[in-house]
Amino acid sequence: MNMLAVAAAHRRRLRSMALVAADTAAVPGALYAACWLRMSGDLPPAMVAGLMTALPITALVSLVVFRFTGLYRLTCRYISTKDLPVIIFSATIAIAVSLIADQFVGHGHWLPASVPITQWLILLATLTGIRVARRLQIEKRRRSTSDDHACEVGDVRRRAIIVGSGDDLDLALRQIEADTSARFEPVAILDDVVGYLKLRVRGIPVLGGLDALDYAVKRLAAEGRRPACIILAKPSEKLAGATLMRLVTNAETLGLGVAQLPGSASARPASANELNLNFIDMAALLGRAPAAVDLTGIARFVAHQRVLVTGAGGTIGRELVRQIAAAGPGELILIDACEYNLYSVDQELGENFPLLPRAAVMCSIRQRGAVMAAFAKYRPNLVFHAAALKHVPLVEANPCAGVQTNVLGTRNVADASRRFGVRAMVQVSTDKAVNPVGVMGATKRLGELYCQALDLDGVDYPVAPRFLTVRFGNVLGSSGSLIPLFQRQLSRRVPLTVTHPDILRYFMTVHEAVQLILQGASQALARDSERGRIFVLDMGEPIRIIDIARRMIRLAGLEPDRDVKIEIVGLRPGEKLFEELFDTSERRLPSAIPGLFEAEPVAMSLEALNEAFDRLAAVAAADDTIGTRAQLAEILRPATTTWVGYGQAAERPAQPARRPAFPAIDGQQVAA
């Protein structure tokens, strides 16, 4: 250890001596260069004689002056513009003392008056250049060492978009560059000053303002440099609350982590080589850690399969597309009724996974013929059914539309899956289907019952498709949901509206929910789980929405009830005070799949459901809202004892249904 210390000290002395020698040579060198420039390279004999005397004097003077002016107390490793006054002062004093010394020995008459000015400029540039070159050499060596370290540990650097401007941005980039563990690689900058577009900061391009996150991610992904996270160069107290929440939400939707620089000076890294960032995400609103997920099992489940996703442009559908695409399917078929959503997700898929075969099919799941045609053309192996109308008050006000999408549309997708022999169809459901009190929950419950009936119908047929239902609660940041509403209210600094102070909801991030959907489906098939069961995501404990509102306000750097108030507005139509994950008629069962529970609902026969759905289709097509609500209540009586969507609770006890045969659909034999 002592030998290493001695060797290190020896290297430091050699570097110091080399720097002193370079500075000492710089002053007479600047003098000669100034004279050569002044005379255009043709030095007269008198000037040559004067230089022969002046050059050694100048070198000796600079050696002493630089020692006393503090030039060698500057560290080349961290040289900056703040050190420029010391360099200017040292160059000025060195030249001034040299001139006095030349006059003292009586040889100053040969020197033109303009030479000292040119000499000063050349010397200033030389002294600064020596130190900048030394710093660049150190940084190059450090980057090389970081690259070697990254290779040794498997290239663990995370590409990052830096958000900030001015000194905060420069400080963050310097700290990242000095990070010896090579954990981050800046690939782009988002700045709130639009005029900075097309510029570079420390070699990193500025791709737009704070609203250009989607564009930046798509562009970088197309270049093969998709970022893994965002680093906020501005501390949270410098970011507007709504801006911070919008960035975090967008990052969650894009699957990016968000890291934040510490806000106070005391929290900044103690070492220039240590970058300590605080990662935040939407899960901070949940007050719990994300569920563990078996990514390897998911990859085996999806790899080389033809996968079809309905509602591919929605919040859940888009995240399903992202995660399925990353798992390496053989082909991905996207179905959506919204032109823009379908275009957007198709473009994103093409940019991020250009080699993945894909197809974008624009049709509504209400269109039975179009759905059947899509299945006949692409013959998917796996189907994820995420298309739905989910906004509770809107579906309550438009029950016929809710039935046509959530009930009849689900039947269309399920029947197509059965006819064309898919391996499995996964139905995305909601906790609002449990003991429903409104139209939206009732329609989703009927979708669950239909998929359960189809799953049970194949119990005696080993090759029959599996119909799996995965049920979970609210998704943070999904379109039309609570979090975007709070964000808009925060941006306007108006009170956050909460329907009831005691209202409880289950929450998950979209990334976590989709991972668990894929995990549940993959392990249910791998374990050949019993048919007719519903998988319920473990969402922890329900959270009061008023607590979510308070956490959002604090995450935005504001204080609840002081900076932003919370206003109680009353329950909306079709809304419950408490959501549940299990129906009162369901039997809750332990599950061998981590992160999921299992439920065994009371089943209804496929024949009875089809007959009831036909009646429901007739009243919905006639836009008979009263008849639609009545039919919903009538159909659900055998399966639930609590629905009050039509103004009264059903009291008839639930009866178990027989398991029927496995018949053909529409007169055609189901493919094996």
Side-chain angles (χ1 to χ4, degrees):
M1 191 65 172
N2 290 335
M3 292 295 295
L4 292 175
V6 170
H10 181 63
R11 286 194 298 270
R12 284 196 296 272
R13 282 195 296 269
L14 288 177
R15 287 196 294 267
S16 298
M17 291 172 61
L19 182 62
V20 170
D23 288 346
T24 303
V27 182
L31 176 59
Y32 179 83
C35 291
W36 190 89
L37 290 172
R38 173 65 178 80
M39 306 306 298
S40 299
D42 186 16
L43 301 181
M47 183 173 287
V48 173
L51 282 172
M52 295 299 292
T53 304
L55 290 178
I57 294 174
T58 304
L60 290 174
V61 167
S62 64
L63 186 63
V64 176
V65 168
F66 289 163
R67 180 67 60 183
F68 285 98
T69 56
L71 184 63
Y72 296 122
R73 288 195 290 271
L74 304 181
T75 305
C76 293
R77 179 187 296 267
Y78 304 116
I79 196 73
S80 69
T81 55
K82 294 181 179 180
D83 299 319
L84 193 57
V86 177
I87 298 175
I88 294 174
F89 178 71
S90 299
T92 304
I93 296 300
I95 292 175
V97 174
S98 298
L99 288 174
I100 294 172
D102 285 340
Q103 292 293 336
F104 181 75
V105 297
H107 292 283
H109 58 278
W110 60 271
L111 190 66
S114 62
V115 166
I117 298 174
T118 307
Q119 179 191 5
W120 180 82
L121 293 173
I122 294 173
L123 179 59
L124 184 62
T126 304
L127 294 178
T128 304
I130 290 171
R131 281 149 181 82
V132 171
R134 174 61 181 156
R135 172 171 177 168
L136 293 176
Q137 180 188 19
I138 293 170
E139 290 181 351
K140 182 179 179 180
R141 186 171 66 245
R142 184 170 56 215
R143 283 194 296 269
S144 176
T145 303
S146 298
D147 290 342
D148 293 342
H149 173 76
C151 291
E152 289 173 5
V153 299
D155 194 15
V156 296
R157 288 181 298 178
R158 304 178 68 183
R159 296 190 184 99
I161 294 178
I162 314 300
V163 176
S165 61
D167 292 339
D168 290 319
L169 174 62
D170 183 65
L171 175 61
L173 291 174
R174 288 176 183 272
Q175 290 176 345
I176 292 171
E177 290 173 4
D179 184 8
T180 54
S181 64
R183 291 180 296 159
F184 298 99
E185 177 191 352
V187 290
I189 294 168
L190 296 183
D191 199 300
D192 49 6
V193 181
V194 179
Y196 285 169
L197 283 174
K198 298 183 180 180
L199 293 185
R200 288 176 175 262
V201 179
R202 301 185 69 81
I204 311 300
V206 179
L207 296 186
L210 302 186
D211 293 325
L213 180 59
D214 284 352
Y215 161 76
V217 171
K218 290 178 181 178
R219 172 171 166 176
L220 293 169
E223 297 172 358
R225 299 188 300 151
R226 193 181 197 279
C229 64
I230 297 171
I231 297 178
L232 304 180
K234 289 185 177 182
S236 59
E237 57 265 24
K238 292 187 179 181
L239 281 171
T243 301
L244 177 60
M245 285 307 306
R246 185 168 61 251
L247 277 172
V248 174
T249 304
N250 290 347
E252 165 66 24
T253 303
L254 293 168
L256 306 178
V258 181
Q260 200 168 28
L261 283 173
S264 62
S266 61
R268 296 282 173 146
S271 166
N273 296 333
E274 180 183 359
L275 184 65
N276 297 318
L277 298 177
N278 302 318
F279 271 87
I280 60 174
D281 56 30
M282 292 301 289
L285 298 174
L286 302 179
R288 62 172 176 82
V293 177
D294 177 18
L295 297 178
T296 304
I298 293 173
R300 286 197 302 266
F301 169 58
V302 172
H304 311 300
Q305 301 290 307
R306 287 191 305 277
V307 184
L308 183 146
V309 180
T310 70
T315 304
I316 297 295
R318 186 181 292 260
E319 184 63 22
L320 273 167
V321 167
R322 291 191 187 110
Q323 294 193 27
I324 291 170
E331 186 177 5
L332 198 48
I333 301 100
L334 317 174
I335 289 183
D336 205 291
C338 175
E339 179 188 23
Y340 176 75
N341 285 354
L342 184 63
Y343 166 79
S344 176
V345 69
D346 183 54
Q347 286 292 106
E348 178 183 334
L349 195 61
E351 292 167 358
N352 296 343
F353 303 94
L355 301 180
L356 174 63
R358 71 186 194 278
V361 181
M362 190 169 67
C363 81
S364 169
I365 59 172
R366 300 180 184 182
Q367 300 169 300
R368 187 176 181 86
V371 171
M372 292 292 176
F375 274 72
K377 180 177 181 179
Y378 296 105
R379 298 278 177 164
N381 307 116
L382 299 172
V383 174
F384 291 87
H385 178 44
L389 298 182
K390 64 178 183 179
H391 196 266
V392 172
L394 281 179
V395 177
E396 192 69 26
N398 300 273
C400 298
V403 162
Q404 289 169 335
T405 297
N406 296 352
V407 180
L408 305 177
T410 297
R411 180 170 70 166
N412 292 339
V413 175
D415 287 353
S417 298
R418 189 184 189 201
R419 172 185 291 182
F420 295 101
V422 305
R423 182 183 174 198
M425 169 186 162
V426 181
Q427 151 88 345
V428 176
S429 191
T430 170
D431 56 0
K432 293 171 180 58
V434 178
N435 298 321
V437 300
V439 173
M440 188 273 191
T443 57
K444 293 299 288 184
R445 182 74 179 111
L446 289 179
E448 289 185 355
L449 288 170
Y450 194 77
C451 289
Q452 180 196 22
L454 283 177
D455 199 34
L456 288 171
D457 213 35
V459 69
D460 297 323
Y461 300 83
V463 295
R466 292 301 309 269
F467 293 86
L468 309 172
T469 295
V470 180
R471 181 191 290 166
F472 55 90
N474 294 44
V475 173
L476 288 176
S478 64
S479 60
S481 68
L482 177 77
I483 303 303
L485 171 63
F486 283 170
Q487 288 176 348
R488 291 194 299 272
Q489 291 171 339
L490 271 173
S491 66
R492 294 159 49 205
R493 289 292 181 92
V494 298
L496 270 58
T497 54
V498 176
T499 56
H500 192 283
D502 296 323
I503 192 169
L504 291 171
R505 290 292 181 267
Y506 291 94
F507 284 98
M508 298 189 88
T509 67
V510 62
H511 191 71
E512 182 183 20
V514 167
Q515 281 188 329
L516 287 175
I517 290 172
L518 293 172
Q519 173 162 294
S522 64
Q523 297 207 19
L525 291 183
R527 300 170 187 268
D528 194 22
S529 64
E530 186 172 342
R531 288 178 176 265
R533 293 185 176 180
I534 288 177
F535 297 92
V536 182
L537 303 191
D538 182 2
M539 308 191 72
E541 295 299 320
I543 304 171
R544 291 199 310 168
I545 288 182
I546 197 168
D547 292 337
I548 291 280
R550 291 192 177 110
R551 288 175 191 171
M552 281 195 67
I553 294 170
R554 291 192 181 99
L555 187 59
L558 304 171
E559 188 64 31
D561 301 320
R562 188 190 68 187
D563 300 318
V564 178
K565 300 210 176 282
I566 298 175
E567 181 180 332
I568 307 300
V569 296
L571 291 174
R572 301 173 299 178
E575 194 170 51
K576 292 195 294 186
L577 191 59
F578 308 103
E579 294 289 6
E580 305 157 276
L581 295 178
F582 297 92
D583 195 282
T584 52
S585 62
E586 292 175 344
R587 188 160 64 98
R588 178 172 173 173
L589 302 167
S591 175
I593 304 174
L596 287 94
F597 302 116
E598 292 184 28
E600 189 174 51
V602 175
M604 294 181 67
S605 72
L606 190 59
E607 290 92 336
L609 283 171
N610 272 314
E611 290 175 4
F613 283 11
D614 289 341
R615 295 194 302 271
L616 195 57
V619 293
D623 200 26
D624 182 357
T625 58
I626 296 177
T628 298
R629 292 176 186 274
Q631 285 293 323
L632 285 173
E634 182 65 27
I635 298 169
L636 281 174
R637 282 199 183 100
T640 181
T641 60
T642 60
W643 187 52
V644 294
Y646 190 55
Q648 57 183 359
E651 298 178 354
R652 184 183 305 174
Q655 298 293 329
R658 65 180 179 87
R659 292 180 177 178
F662 191 52
I665 296 178
D666 295 346
Q668 298 186 25
Q669 185 63 38
V670 177

